[in-house]
Amino acid sequence: QQGMQQQGMQQQGMQQQGMNMGSQQGKQENFSQQPVAKPLQHIKQLKDSLKKHRVVVVDAWAKWCQPCVQLKPRFEALAMKYKDSPYLDFFTDDIDNENSPHASKVTAVPSFFVYTDGDLQPKKHFQGDLDKVETLVNRLAHRLHTGEI
């Protein structure tokens, strides 16, 4: 049991270190390159991505939402972490865009949607909790990349 606790603490430390590095990368990316998480302009983009990727993650946000703006670099860092993964894809969806596929699905922003295996119904929907999104995405990515699923 002690070994399992130590392993859990090591994993938590690695995740924290990754999040810190990711946050720095996300901030740098805002100034130097196009975002990895693509702006979602219409539902066709989501449908096309679901045909190519096992997991699609969407950050539904609004420019006027301060928590949305504050979490954006962390979401971008998560997208950056998996930018070369053939299994994962990331989008941002401005709910004030008239073609937003998520505007009618959110009751609070930011909201995060996780789609899997081509299904247009999100598998998970998180309101404002990027920590849970990161945990889920990291777990799914590990399982996908090791062939567990």
Side-chain angles (χ1 to χ4, degrees), residues 45-56 85-89 118:
Q45 282 177 280
L46 182 60
K47 288 178 181 179
D48 290 346
S49 182
L50 285 166
K51 291 176 186 174
K52 298 175 189 169
H53 301 92
R54 296 276 310 268
V55 177
V56 177
S85 172
Y87 304 109
L88 294 120
D89 202 12

Coordinates of all heavy atoms in Angstrom, one line a residue, residues 45-56 85-89 118:
Q45 N -16.9 21.1 -38.8 CA -15.5 20.9 -38.3 C -15.5 19.8 -37.2 O -14.6 18.9 -37.2 CB -15.0 22.1 -37.6 CG -14.5 23.2 -38.6 CD -14.1 24.4 -37.8 OE1 -14.9 25.2 -37.4 NE2 -12.8 24.5 -37.6
L46 N -16.5 19.8 -36.3 CA -16.6 18.8 -35.2 C -16.8 17.4 -35.8 O -16.2 16.5 -35.4 CB -17.7 19.2 -34.2 CG -17.8 18.3 -33.0 CD1 -16.6 18.2 -32.2 CD2 -19.0 18.8 -32.2
K47 N -17.8 17.4 -36.7 CA -18.1 16.1 -37.4 C -16.9 15.5 -38.1 O -16.6 14.3 -37.9 CB -19.2 16.2 -38.4 CG -20.6 16.4 -37.7 CD -21.6 16.6 -38.8 CE -23.0 16.9 -38.2 NZ -24.0 17.1 -39.2
D48 N -16.1 16.3 -38.8 CA -14.9 15.9 -39.5 C -13.9 15.4 -38.6 O -13.2 14.4 -38.8 CB -14.4 17.0 -40.4 CG -15.3 17.3 -41.6 OD1 -16.2 16.5 -41.9 OD2 -15.0 18.3 -42.2
S49 N -13.7 16.1 -37.5 CA -12.7 15.7 -36.5 C -13.1 14.4 -35.8 O -12.2 13.6 -35.5 CB -12.5 16.8 -35.4 OG -11.5 16.5 -34.5
L50 N -14.3 14.2 -35.5 CA -14.8 13.0 -34.9 C -14.6 11.8 -35.8 O -14.5 10.7 -35.3 CB -16.3 13.1 -34.5 CG -16.5 14.0 -33.3 CD1 -18.0 14.3 -33.1 CD2 -16.0 13.3 -32.0
K51 N -14.5 12.0 -37.1 CA -14.2 10.9 -38.0 C -12.8 10.5 -38.0 O -12.4 9.3 -38.3 CB -14.6 11.3 -39.5 CG -16.1 11.4 -39.7 CD -16.4 11.9 -41.1 CE -17.9 12.2 -41.3 NZ -18.1 12.8 -42.6
K52 N -11.9 11.4 -37.6 CA -10.5 11.2 -37.7 C -9.8 10.9 -36.3 O -8.8 10.3 -36.2 CB -9.7 12.4 -38.2 CG -10.1 12.8 -39.6 CD -9.5 14.1 -40.0 CE -10.0 14.6 -41.4 NZ -9.6 15.9 -41.7
H53 N -10.5 11.3 -35.2 CA -9.9 11.2 -33.9 C -10.8 10.5 -32.9 O -12.0 10.6 -33.0 CB -9.6 12.6 -33.3 CG -8.7 13.4 -34.2 ND1 -9.1 14.3 -35.2 CD2 -7.3 13.5 -34.2 CE1 -8.1 14.8 -35.8 NE2 -7.0 14.4 -35.2
R54 N -10.2 9.7 -32.0 CA -11.0 9.0 -31.0 C -11.5 9.9 -30.0 O -12.6 9.6 -29.4 CB -10.1 7.9 -30.3 CG -9.5 6.8 -31.2 CD -10.5 5.7 -31.5 NE -11.1 5.1 -30.3 CZ -10.6 4.1 -29.6 NH1 -9.5 3.5 -30.0 NH2 -11.3 3.6 -28.5
V55 N -10.8 11.0 -29.6 CA -11.3 11.9 -28.6 C -11.2 13.3 -29.1 O -10.1 13.7 -29.6 CB -10.4 11.7 -27.3 CG1 -10.8 12.8 -26.2 CG2 -10.5 10.3 -26.7
V56 N -12.2 14.1 -28.9 CA -12.3 15.5 -29.3 C -12.7 16.3 -28.1 O -13.7 16.0 -27.5 CB -13.2 15.8 -30.5 CG1 -13.2 17.2 -30.8 CG2 -12.7 15.0 -31.7
S85 N -0.6 13.8 -31.3 CA -1.3 12.6 -31.1 C -2.3 12.3 -32.2 O -3.1 13.2 -32.5 CB -2.1 12.6 -29.7 OG -3.0 11.5 -29.7
P86 N -2.3 11.1 -32.8 CA -3.3 10.8 -33.8 C -4.7 10.6 -33.2 O -5.7 10.5 -34.0 CB -2.8 9.6 -34.5 CG -2.0 8.9 -33.4 CD -1.4 10.0 -32.6
Y87 N -4.8 10.5 -31.9 CA -6.1 10.1 -31.3 C -6.9 11.3 -30.7 O -8.1 11.2 -30.5 CB -5.8 9.2 -30.1 CG -5.0 7.9 -30.4 CD1 -3.7 7.8 -30.0 CD2 -5.6 6.9 -31.2 CE1 -3.0 6.6 -30.4 CE2 -4.9 5.8 -31.6 CZ -3.6 5.6 -31.1 OH -2.9 4.5 -31.5
L88 N -6.2 12.4 -30.5 CA -6.9 13.5 -29.8 C -6.9 14.8 -30.7 O -5.9 15.1 -31.4 CB -6.2 13.9 -28.5 CG -6.3 12.8 -27.5 CD1 -4.9 12.3 -27.1 CD2 -7.0 13.3 -26.2
D89 N -8.0 15.6 -30.5 CA -8.1 16.9 -31.2 C -8.8 17.9 -30.3 O -9.6 17.5 -29.4 CB -8.9 16.7 -32.5 CG -8.6 17.8 -33.5 OD1 -7.6 18.6 -33.3 OD2 -9.4 17.9 -34.5
G118 N -16.5 9.1 -32.4 CA -17.3 9.6 -33.5 C -18.7 10.0 -33.1 O -19.6 10.3 -33.9

